Amino acid sequence: DTAVSQTPKYLVTQMGNDKSIKCEQNLGHDTMYWYKQDSKKFLKIMFSYNNKELIINETVPNRFSPKSPDKAHLNLHINSLELGDSAVYFCASSQTRNTDTQYFGPGTRLTVL
Amino acid sequence: AQSVTQLGSHVSVSEGALVLLRCNYSSSVPPYLFWYVQYPNQGLQLLLKYTSAATLVKGINGFEAEFKKSETSFHLTKPSAHMSDAAEYFCAVRGGYQKVTFGTGTKLQVIP
């Protein structure tokens, strides 16, 4: 069984479009994260939610809006996509906000044309 | 504030040779340190972690790392490289209750 799953795995879209990426974890964890990995493999945290509450909000354009309908799901909506948004987006979860180990999803490769 | 520096974006070793991937950290509080591995087209997987217990930490797949406070280092080693070890390796640090900060990664190539 997949612990942290993301859909879609690949997303190709035009500049200016709006798209969403979904993440679900079946580990019973309280905390979920979104990371962006650029073409140089640099991994940077974007957001973190703990029990549906936003706890980390890095310097990210407000075109990016996370939504957590329940603690098992954390979706990422991106408005007005730009070329620079092309990256691999990883969802992760941890048991609590203070727990060491994060479990990562397989990633969503977003390509903006 | 916290940061991680991984020395060498690419490391090549022969199959059977020692693997050494370097990581130095900076943290204003006693850190938690991690090594993650990323295989092609996959997410990150935890290899091992240091959480202020034993300074020599053993992880999966024969990897281990030693926390050296005096050198602010947490280098990853494996005595004998296997072809399946070829991947990207990320060192990460968390100081106290802060978010985890990842290094820029080291790509390990294993030559037959």
Side-chain angles (χ1 to χ4, degrees), chain B residues 8-72:
Chain B
S9 58
H10 287 81
V11 170
S12 292
V13 300
S14 298
E15 192 174 14
L18 171 72
V19 176
L20 171 61
L21 304 183
R22 299 178 187 273
C23 173
N24 288 89
Y25 71 90
S26 170
S27 177
S28 55
V29 297
Y32 292 168
L33 294 158
F34 313 84
W35 275 101
Y36 281 86
V37 60
Q38 184 180 25
Y39 298 103
N41 300 313
Q42 293 187 29
L44 278 73
Q45 178 185 359
L46 183 70
L47 268 181
L48 49 81
K49 62 182 179 183
Y50 166 77
T51 56
S52 75
T55 56
L56 182 62
V57 181
K58 293 188 185 299
I60 62 172
N61 301 338
F63 284 94
E64 62 181 38
E66 187 172 8
F67 171 70
K68 291 187 177 180
K69 185 178 178 181
S70 60
E71 299 177 9
T72 60

Side-chain angles (χ1 to χ4, degrees), chain A residues 9-10 35 37 40-45 56 58 88 90 97-107 109, chain B residues 32 34 36 38 40-46 49 51 88 90 94 96-105:
Chain A
K9 191 170 175 62
Y10 299 97
Y35 287 88
Q37 187 177 48
K40 296 184 178 178
K41 299 284 188 175
F42 182 60
L43 195 68
K44 190 175 189 317
I45 191 165
I56 294 176
E58 291 296 288
V88 181
F90 286 101
R97 62 189 296 176
N98 300 321
T99 305
D100 313 316
T101 304
Q102 294 183 20
Y103 295 82
F104 283 78
R109 182 173 294 276
Chain B
Y32 292 168
F34 313 84
Y36 281 86
Q38 184 180 25
N41 300 313
Q42 293 187 29
L44 278 73
Q45 178 185 359
L46 183 70
K49 62 182 179 183
T51 56
E88 190 101 21
F90 292 88
R94 181 164 77 86
Y97 297 126
Q98 298 182 53
K99 64 183 186 293
V100 175
T101 299
F102 286 84
T104 50

